[in-house]
Amino acid sequence: MRRAINDRNVLFLCQDNALLSQMAEAAAKHLAPPKTRIFSAGVKPGRIPPSVIEAMNEIGISIAGQKSKSLDEVPINEIDLVVSFGDAHKQCGNLPGRAKIESWPVTDEFQQKKSQGDELDALRGERDDIEKRVFALFMDYWRNVA
């Protein structure tokens, strides 16, 4: 007997909602199963740099129309899963208690390359890792509803 596929609401959360969570939102929207709503937000929203747009365009995923958002702009009480980059979730007191929280690390290599001014190269590595993680996240989703 098959279980019904329920609506799922996923939030990708990071410090500034300008880099990693934006890439995760775009990849997730590209790969999401039906009845899945995807959001991203930042503890302190920043500006999406052109290098993020370029990195995503390189793999055929557009982030046109996405903007940096705060948690106030997300239907927070409807969120089922929060994917937190680093410890962003620890800085938010208003996450719903019923939501599962999964923490994805921000690598030292990314921080190092970014600080050395090689942001696009750093983003490529993170983008590829994020895309794999999002794919695995949704494979788990399908495995749990089959």
Side-chain angles (χ1 to χ4, degrees):
M1 178 180 194
R2 294 182 72 107
R3 288 177 33 194
I5 297 175
N6 298 320
D7 292 348
R8 300 281 171 102
N9 298 306
V10 179
L11 169 64
F12 293 96
L13 179 67
C14 71
Q15 185 64 36
D16 58 7
N17 192 224
L19 302 172
L20 305 178
S21 59
Q22 287 291 336
M23 291 191 297
E25 177 184 4
K29 285 180 175 176
H30 187 73
L31 297 169
K35 296 189 173 197
T36 303
R37 294 190 315 164
I38 308 298
F39 303 94
S40 71
V43 177
K44 294 179 183 172
R47 184 185 64 78
I48 302 170
S51 54
V52 171
I53 297 165
E54 183 178 348
M56 295 308 289
N57 282 340
E58 287 177 354
I59 60 168
I61 298 177
S62 172
I63 64 170
Q66 285 184 206
K67 66 179 190 102
S68 187
K69 300 168 287 304
S70 70
L71 281 172
D72 295 340
E73 299 174 74
V74 173
I76 197 70
N77 290 325
E78 298 175 23
I79 299 299
D80 301 300
L81 172 64
V82 176
V83 176
S84 173
F85 286 91
D87 64 355
H89 66 285
K90 294 179 181 177
Q91 301 172 47
C92 303
N94 62 338
L95 295 177
R98 68 178 183 82
K100 178 182 175 190
I101 298 175
E102 186 171 316
S103 184
W104 288 0
V106 178
T107 66
D108 291 337
E109 181 182 351
F110 171 71
Q111 297 293 6
Q112 185 178 32
K113 283 183 179 180
K114 186 178 165 195
S115 69
Q116 293 172 348
D118 198 358
E119 186 171 88
L120 183 57
D121 188 46
L123 286 170
R124 286 178 178 129
E126 289 301 308
R127 172 204 64 204
D128 295 344
D129 184 53
I130 287 169
E131 189 176 34
K132 289 175 192 170
R133 287 174 178 260
V134 167
F135 182 78
L137 184 76
F138 293 140
M139 287 302 293
D140 285 343
Y141 171 89
W142 283 113
R143 188 174 10 258
N144 291 329
V145 297

